[in-house]
Amino acid sequence: MTVAGTGAFALCDASVEEDSEAPSRLTPGEADPSLPTYTLEQVQDHTGAKKTGVWVVYKHGVYDITKFIASHPGGTKILLAAGKSIEPFWQLYAAHNHEDVHKILESLRIGNLCEDDVAVLEKLRKERYGDGPYSQDPTRHPALKVNSSMPFNAEPPPELLMQSFITPNDLFFVRNHLPVPDVNINDYTLKVTGIGIGKGKEAEFTLDELKVKFKHHTVATTIQCAGNRRAEMSGVKQVNGLSWDTTALSTANWTGVLLSDVLQSLGISEEDCRPLHDCDVAENIGTCDDCNCIIQHVQFEGLDCDTEGKSYGASIPFATAVDPRKDVLLAFEMNGEPIPRDHGYPLRVIVPGTVGARNVKFVHRIVLSNVESPSFWQQRDYRGFPPNVDYSQEDYWKYAGDSIQELPVQSAITEPKNGTTHVVDDGSESSIVTVKGYAWSGGGRNIIRVDVSADGGMTWTPAVLNESGRRQKYNRAWAWTPWELDIEVPPGTKNLDITCKAVDSSYNVQPDTIAPIWNMRGVLNNAWHRVGVEVVEEKPEEEEEEEEEE
Amino acid sequence: MTVAGTGAFALCDASVEEDSEAPSRLTPGEADPSLPTYTLEQVQDHTGAKKTGVWVVYKHGVYDITKFIASHPGGTKILLAAGKSIEPFWQLYAAHNHEDVHKILESLRIGNLCEDDVAVLEKLRKERYGDGPYSQDPTRHPALKVNSSMPFNAEPPPELLMQSFITPNDLFFVRNHLPVPDVNINDYTLKVTGIGIGKGKEAEFTLDELKVKFKHHTVATTIQCAGNRRAEMSGVKQVNGLSWDTTALSTANWTGVLLSDVLQSLGISEEDCRPLHDCDVAENIGTCDDCNCIIQHVQFEGLDCDTEGKSYGASIPFATAVDPRKDVLLAFEMNGEPIPRDHGYPLRVIVPGTVGARNVKFVHRIVLSNVESPSFWQQRDYRGFPPNVDYSQEDYWKYAGDSIQELPVQSAITEPKNGTTHVVDDGSESSIVTVKGYAWSGGGRNIIRVDVSADGGMTWTPAVLNESGRRQKYNRAWAWTPWELDIEVPPGTKNLDITCKAVDSSYNVQPDTIAPIWNMRGVLNNAWHRVGVEVVEEKPEEEEEEEEEE
């Protein structure tokens, strides 16, 4: 047995002794002479079968992680390392470089890796990541609140985000799954292949060819991460994933060519793609030479890769891709500039009204298929789950919902911030608090109303909607609708329990509370957003003076 | 001053004495010699201006209804009778033939109508409605639960409705706004006019021409009334309108021609309809001879008329009408038969995924326009309102939301019924309750999950979804998704608080409670549906016998 791409490993003698108690170590992966030694080949026999469990390697250490999988904060992503060294994954996901993580790992320790295999793995690591996989990442704006630095994930401060309808590129939230690829534009092409294209007839475009061949369109869209407002959901019950606050979304003008135009130029249209016969498409991403069998999904592959060379990928329904009304773009400009590297240079798929994860960055390959993208992020992530299901259930996967595409109606308060104070001069008179926020809905649905409450939802007042948001086309309202409302704070008020909820053009509303929509991935939190503000009376100077005189 | 269509009225002498106290009468409209006498012309001077208020006539009585308008259960529809006799309206809306209504009316009495004008009105009434306006209505299935007989509004019993995916025509819920027209098919034509058609070039089709000229399509859609589940909303705070329970919706296979095909045959397509110059379209429904100015709405007029000869009407966005993916039909068949009279014979607009009110029955005129239908039901009804607004606010109209088009995600429990009992043989063992219901979402969004709770929403289990519902096309799922779930009732359970909530393909969910979505029109109730069931232990026969022996 070999590890793909690593060649054959030297075999070592090894004594196998299972069920040994592992001591707690703070320097992970140090050799421990009291434990048995294993070869990498032996480790590779433990990749998840019920009898063998899952083993992994870290430096000198061998670990049985079988029982830990359910509580892994990154979910089943941990299985990508089954039977392998986890070191390259820890280099990709730097959150692991933490003492608590090291302690957990060492508590799972069962043995040592033989020295020959340790050397082989170390050599490979150095070849792959001289200065680390993230050494080529771009620099970022210091105002961003970083939720994870490797891969880089960050959101803008709410008060900066809401300063403009269009978010400046530097402040646009960043959701990277992997290191940012360093693309040489002279080597770059976009390939289109799959059902309906014909074997050996895959299309290939340089960026310039795309720009010259097709009409340019500019579309203002808000992109939102499925995990936006996950931090609140964790407050109900712990979930896995990055702890996004309320600003894992931003709005830009994207310029590019319509995916539907590119498909049409290749002879692909809704009408053409009807099943003519049973077509055996190899590996679900192959081509079909002499028929137009059913294209149901359009898969996108990015140039960003994991340690196995697997790229980020995602897919959208063909019905969305081929419909010019859906405004799906292959975009090369963001707010009038070439797309910055963090946001998908040189080409990004923009799927308006659809979860950020399907807006694939660095796209270099499009596959027309009868199935969804085979990528981890389409198959095992970005799906909804019922509130009763968590990782502790062995059969949790059977409850996985459809892959997330269009997002539900959403709104949040960006000002005032939770836990702040509202200072009033004189407790005997009313004062004003200006509440600001955003609202948005997936699928192009317009925001038609936002209700704001200062008493936790007992009474409501409609907010004033931003005109740029309100004036968008019917059911092609891809960008958000900022809003604001001055609320009167009557004398004697001690606390404000400010709450908002939006209504979209389908009259969908946000649910009241988080618990009934809680899900183990911490996605799709669109419950009413709540902000608590304490009202504090500032004693007038005179009074203070008087008191001093007394 | 004259009443449109009634000719000149005789003038009588009349003494005017306002602010007189009205006695309480149980026979409304009887002459009362103690009150002053008015002419119809004087009544006609009171049609809503702030100084004059609103007066109406009923038989011999004259009434000042100004202060009553806010509490009129039918909302501002009452203004249709301002300055006129309300008798023809009461004949249309038979709910008024009730002692309570008569009491209210007489409490507003201010005088008598002069005898000459009473005679003129009575003559008119007889000419118009020999045997009453509803005498030509069809007979209906006795199983329907009637919410109003004139106009006829009725819903099927839940247990019958859920017996099949497609609802039999006789059981399909009926929502009539006016008497059912008695259409002679030999006289029937459909006219298409408005912007883009050209003056004097309006198209006209007989039913046979429509059938012959265009391809036939059959679409299974669920039609839901905006007021479905209004009865529950009234439980929070009184609303106006028919008290629909949970089955103001049904599903049928509709066969007809695509509206988009008909429009295309007239040279109307999305691309053609761009503004070329400022076009002054007369009365917003006129034609435009030499340009294609913006068509934003497609208006439909029915053959059902009110006492003024005004027909029922509604409109949908042009973007919906012209998009073949939206499957908007001009339908002539319902479940394989000519559409029954109650459901729109001979031609009905089917707008899948859109509120029932826009699925205009008996359609005989289509107008392409830059504005919505001028009908009462588009302009003043079927709109959302914020929860803080009711008729007691003088400026309530400024809070009227966009006209309802696509509906939000919905689900309800049809079995067991609220307030019923679940009998268990033996309280020491678990038993099973089978919960059944439906789920549906507007805009073609598929139902991807339904969660059911037996403890009022603390814990949830996903229901089993009906395959015919589940297998519909992505975002063209026009028909509902029935569901069911066996829930286990543990020993000792006293009550079941059964609750359901659905998730659609945009991951929109239903809100937890009704109060935050309450609106004065009682529409759009899609909060969790709740059903209370008492668990009762049936004593075994032996035990009873033993007790008898004792």
Side-chain angles (χ1 to χ4, degrees), chain A residues 46-171:
Chain A
H46 299 78
T47 57
K50 220 162 190 178
K51 278 189 184 169
T52 63
V54 178
W55 288 12
V56 298
V57 165
Y58 184 75
K59 295 185 175 169
H60 291 265
V62 174
Y63 306 85
D64 181 349
I65 63 164
T66 315
K67 288 176 182 160
F68 173 68
I69 295 167
S71 41
H72 179 233
T76 51
K77 274 200 204 77
I78 199 170
L79 292 177
L80 291 170
K84 300 172 190 166
S85 170
I86 56 172
E87 222 179 335
F89 295 91
W90 281 24
Q91 283 191 290
L92 278 182
Y93 305 108
H96 296 90
N97 297 324
H98 191 280
E99 192 179 350
D100 291 345
V101 181
H102 300 168
K103 272 188 194 166
I104 293 168
L105 183 70
E106 287 308 312
S107 74
L108 306 170
R109 182 76 175 263
I110 56 167
N112 299 307
L113 188 67
C114 68
E115 285 304 323
D116 287 359
D117 284 351
V118 170
V120 167
L121 289 176
E122 178 59 15
K123 186 164 170 276
L124 264 173
R125 195 192 64 76
K126 280 193 177 153
E127 281 170 14
R128 277 193 181 147
Y129 304 112
D131 298 316
Y134 291 95
S135 61
Q136 300 303 313
D137 262 23
T139 55
R140 280 94 180 194
H141 196 283
L144 293 173
K145 180 197 152 212
V146 180
N147 293 328
S148 146
S149 55
M150 293 185 275
F152 189 78
N153 287 282
E155 60 190 308
E159 58 275 34
L160 288 188
L161 179 63
M162 299 313 292
Q163 277 187 343
S164 54
F165 186 75
I166 298 294
T167 315
N169 289 354
D170 282 354
L171 283 179

Side-chain angles (χ1 to χ4, degrees), chain A residues 308-325:
Chain A
E308 304 279 295
K310 278 188 190 154
S311 63
Y312 182 82
S315 58
I316 61 172
F318 178 63
T320 305
V322 80
D323 185 351
R325 295 164 189 82

